[in-house]
């Protein structure tokens, strides 16, 4: 492909380090689509003949069919997807194939292909995240009234509902989808026609190829167009934050399904056994999702490190962009599917959750709030009184709602029997009815709203 400048081929090590077909073969659909758009534009502009453009388009369609049927033979000696397709096209149609590369470089070609691939992958990721949200919202609706312990510092804090907990991840995932949508919007410019770095002297219609490929517009600066990988870094950033969210829920599932807490169960679909210990049921799917977050975050770091020292415009370093991105987004896709499946499969132990929700004096805040509302005591003073009452209950080894009224009145004489109306976990969650709170009626309303939005395809 180098023409007459080189008298011999590369050495074996050079060929091995230079080749990219092992991973950029995944760009074949995008490469063929971009080549068809380019050929059509060249014909319209009179740069190549309509007959040559027709032969090129037919040949590319045949190659697409060959690749998708598994008949196409990728050759490492041809380095990348672009040269593999072009070489096969030359075998099929001869000289017209050589005209396809008029007014383009592999630099703008790969930049275009990669953006198209990233756009397709973002769309698939968004659809998967919507399915994940749907599973979460459905589980939330089913368990709007299921009380569980709400934790801070992994210590019992206040009672919440399991449905409210699930909806927290619906909100996180909505932000994830928003970040992917933002990345998609910014990447949707066509580099095709930028050439190697300086543009081209041919009279191209770049708006035509941009429109044909579904881009919003052609890129405005040829140097930036061929050297930009912001779109990959931004998408990996969105993927990394999503992976962190998935990992947090995976960690909770590991905790909930441990016999030490016994708050929930996963079926055989998402657990494995032990080769030595026959009693074990390991939450391996959740653990692997948790681990893949590191892999995805690592890919983002790797690409940023590749790009940080590169002057304009293109450098071969940038060939290292695709393998990590493709691996990371594949890992994310699998993680999302696994988490959606686990959420649907997860069965809370409602009795154990209710019991745990009342442990650790979880309704102490409700007692303090009652003192403020019923006795008009300043909150700081109510907080101190409640702390003393909790201490007395702990010394007696009883729950707050089992502590005798007289014991409370020994600390604050104005307390009445009405205080017991706020000390149950059910009344606690029911009272958190302000917007965004954990009250069951809130959870039902939010879950139904999300399910309706997702049904309509809204995010």
């Amino acid at each position: 492909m180098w023409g007459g400048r080189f008298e011999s081929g590369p050495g074996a090590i050079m060929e091995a380090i230079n080749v990219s077909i092992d991973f950029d073969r995944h760009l074949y659909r995008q490469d063929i689509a971009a080549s068809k758009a380019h050929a059509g534009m060249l014909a319209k502009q009179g740069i190549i003949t309509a007959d040559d453009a027709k032969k090129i388009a037919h040949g590319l369609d045949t190659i697409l069919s060959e690749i998708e049927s598994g008949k196409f033979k990728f050759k490492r000696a041809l380095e990348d997807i672009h040269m593999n397709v072009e070489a096969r096209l030359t075998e099929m149609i001869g000289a017209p194939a050589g005209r396809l590369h008029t007014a383009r470089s592999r630099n703008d070609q790969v930049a275009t292909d990669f953006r198209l691939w990233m756009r397709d992958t973002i769309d698939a990721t968004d659809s998967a995240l919507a399915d994940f949200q749907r599973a979460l919202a459905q589980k939330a609706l089913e368990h709007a009234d299921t009380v569980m312990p709400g934790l801070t510092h992994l210590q019992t804090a206040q009672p919440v509902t399991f449905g409210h907990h699930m909806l927290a991840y619906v909100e996180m995932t909505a932000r994830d989808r928003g970040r992917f949508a933002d990345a998609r919007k910014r990447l949707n410019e066509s580099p095709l026609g930028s050439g190697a770095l300086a543009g081209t002297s041919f009279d191209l219609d770049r708006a035509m190829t941009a429109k044909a490929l579904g881009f919003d517009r052609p890129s405005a600066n040829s140097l930036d167009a061929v050297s930009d990988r912001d779109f990959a870094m931004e998408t990996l950033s969105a993927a990394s934050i999503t992976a962190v969210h998935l990992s947090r829920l995976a960690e909770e599932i590991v905790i909930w399904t441990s016999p030490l807490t016994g708050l929930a169960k996963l079926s055989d679909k998402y657990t494995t056994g032990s080769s030595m210990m026959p009693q074990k049921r390991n939450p391996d799917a959740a653990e692997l999702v948790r681990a893949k977050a590191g892999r995805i975050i690592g890919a983002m770091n790797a690409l940023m490190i590749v790009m940080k020292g590169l002057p304009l415009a293109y450098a071969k370093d940038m060939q290292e962009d695709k393998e990590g991105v493709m691996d990371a987004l594949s890992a994310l896709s699998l993680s999302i599917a696994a988490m959606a499946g686990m959420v649907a499969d997860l069965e809370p132990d409602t009795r154990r959750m209710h019991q745990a929700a009342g442990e650790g004096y979880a309704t102490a805040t409700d007692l303090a709030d009652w003192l403020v509302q019923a006795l008009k005591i300043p909150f700081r003073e109510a907080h101190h009184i409640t702390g003393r009452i909790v201490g007395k209950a702990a010394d007696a080894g009883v729950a707050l709602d089992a502590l005798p009224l007289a014991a409370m009145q020994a600390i604050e004489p104005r307390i009445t029997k009405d205080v017991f109306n706020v000390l149950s976990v059910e009344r606690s969650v029911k009272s958190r009815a302000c917007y965004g709170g954990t009250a069951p009626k809130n959870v039902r309303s939010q879950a139904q709203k999300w399910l309706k939005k997702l049904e309509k395809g809204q995010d």
Side-chain angles (χ1 to χ4, degrees):
M1 76 184 82
W2 315 124
R5 177 65 180 85
F6 288 74
E7 295 180 1
S8 63
I13 297 299
M14 179 60 199
E15 182 176 317
I17 198 172
N18 197 45
V19 70
S20 61
I21 189 60
D22 295 338
F23 50 87
D24 71 16
R25 67 174 63 191
H26 296 297
L27 301 175
Y28 73 89
R29 289 189 189 91
Q30 292 78 18
D31 191 70
I32 289 171
S35 290
K36 288 177 67 177
H38 185 64
M41 182 273 297
L42 291 177
K44 173 183 172 288
Q45 295 299 99
I47 298 170
I48 66 174
T49 67
D51 184 59
D52 281 349
K54 184 176 180 180
K55 289 176 181 177
I56 289 169
H58 179 72
L60 289 171
D61 285 339
T62 302
I63 292 170
L64 178 62
S65 178
E66 288 179 349
I67 294 174
E68 293 189 332
S69 65
K71 295 177 182 178
F72 190 91
K73 302 298 182 185
F74 291 101
K75 299 175 182 177
R76 299 185 91 243
L78 293 172
E79 290 189 16
D80 57 31
I81 186 61
H82 321 301
M83 298 313 299
N84 269 266
V85 170
E86 186 174 323
R88 176 61 180 137
L89 186 63
T90 301
E91 290 177 2
M92 294 171 59
I93 68 172
R99 297 188 174 92
L100 173 59
H101 207 55
T102 304
R104 77 174 182 183
S105 161
R106 284 193 297 172
N107 293 357
D108 63 341
Q109 190 177 359
V110 71
T112 302
D113 293 355
F114 198 17
R115 283 173 183 260
L116 289 171
W117 183 90
M118 193 71 79
R119 194 177 68 189
D120 292 343
T121 303
I122 287 174
D123 290 345
T125 301
D126 182 72
S127 178
L129 288 172
D131 289 341
F132 177 48
Q133 285 182 298
R134 196 171 290 108
L136 289 163
Q138 185 59 49
K139 188 67 70 172
L141 189 59
E142 293 169 7
H143 290 279
D145 294 286
T146 299
V147 181
M148 69 176 292
L151 311 177
T152 60
H153 307 277
L154 209 58
Q155 305 296 311
T156 301
Q158 292 176 277
V160 296
T161 56
F162 185 65
H164 193 57
H165 201 108
M166 291 291 97
L167 287 175
Y169 285 97
V170 175
E171 296 292 335
M172 288 185 212
T173 306
R175 296 194 296 273
D176 293 330
R177 293 179 67 191
R179 277 182 281 269
F180 278 112
D182 288 344
R184 189 191 193 284
K185 183 177 180 179
R186 270 183 286 278
L187 72 78
N188 208 35
E189 293 185 350
S190 174
L192 198 56
S194 297
L197 75 163
T200 176
S201 60
F202 288 93
D203 181 24
L204 304 185
D205 185 347
R206 294 190 61 211
M208 176 183 172
T209 51
K211 183 177 180 180
L213 295 170
F215 288 114
D216 293 332
R217 64 191 71 83
S219 54
N221 184 286
S222 59
L223 281 168
D224 179 53
V226 299
S227 63
D228 167 40
R229 292 299 182 271
D230 289 4
F231 65 91
M233 291 187 287
E234 186 173 6
T235 302
L236 282 179
S237 176
S240 295
I241 297 171
T242 302
V244 167
H245 291 159
L246 296 175
S247 183
R248 293 181 73 179
L249 180 54
E251 168 72 2
E252 293 192 307
I253 289 174
V254 170
I255 292 170
W256 293 340
T257 58
S258 167
L260 294 175
T261 63
L263 296 179
K265 294 180 181 178
L266 285 172
S267 75
D268 294 352
K269 292 180 181 178
Y270 294 97
T271 55
T272 65
S274 164
S275 62
M276 177 182 282
M277 299 167 284
Q279 83 282 8
K280 293 293 296 297
R281 181 187 289 276
N282 300 322
D284 282 4
E287 291 171 357
L288 287 166
V289 168
R290 189 173 59 186
K292 287 183 187 298
R295 188 167 167 180
I296 294 163
I297 295 166
M300 179 185 70
N301 290 339
L303 182 56
M304 287 186 170
I305 293 167
V306 166
M307 296 300 299
K308 72 168 182 62
L310 298 186
L312 295 179
Y314 182 83
K316 195 68 170 184
D317 310 52
M318 292 166 68
Q319 184 168 290
E320 290 295 315
D321 58 358
K322 289 173 285 298
E323 190 171 11
V325 169
M326 290 175 174
D327 178 78
L329 294 180
S330 175
L332 181 64
S333 175
L334 185 56
S335 296
I336 296 169
M339 288 307 302
M342 278 187 280
V343 166
D345 186 71
L346 194 66
E347 283 300 326
D349 184 331
T350 56
R351 184 196 62 79
R352 173 61 191 133
M353 278 190 171
H354 186 279
Q355 177 187 352
E359 294 172 352
Y361 304 100
T363 57
T365 305
D366 298 274
L367 171 56
D369 289 346
W370 184 88
L371 292 172
V372 171
Q373 293 170 349
L375 304 182
K376 309 304 179 185
I377 295 174
F379 182 78
R380 287 301 175 197
E381 183 182 345
H383 186 284
H384 180 72
I385 292 168
T386 300
R388 292 178 62 196
I389 293 173
V390 168
K392 179 162 286 193
D395 290 341
V398 298
L400 272 179
D401 59 358
L403 187 68
L405 177 61
M408 296 186 194
Q409 290 173 333
I411 295 171
E412 172 48 65
R414 290 174 290 171
I415 294 176
T416 69
K417 64 179 181 179
D418 290 343
V419 73
F420 292 101
N421 292 332
V422 303
L423 295 182
S424 72
V425 292
E426 290 86 0
R427 287 184 178 272
S428 176
V429 296
K430 187 177 181 180
S431 71
R432 309 295 172 184
C434 64
Y435 183 77
T438 191
K441 69 175 184 178
N442 288 13
V443 173
R444 273 188 287 273
S445 174
Q446 287 294 317
Q448 289 166 348
K449 184 184 81 170
W450 270 111
L451 289 169
K452 186 177 294 184
K453 288 176 67 175
L454 292 163
E455 184 67 26
K456 292 180 179 178
Q458 300 172 343
D459 53 16

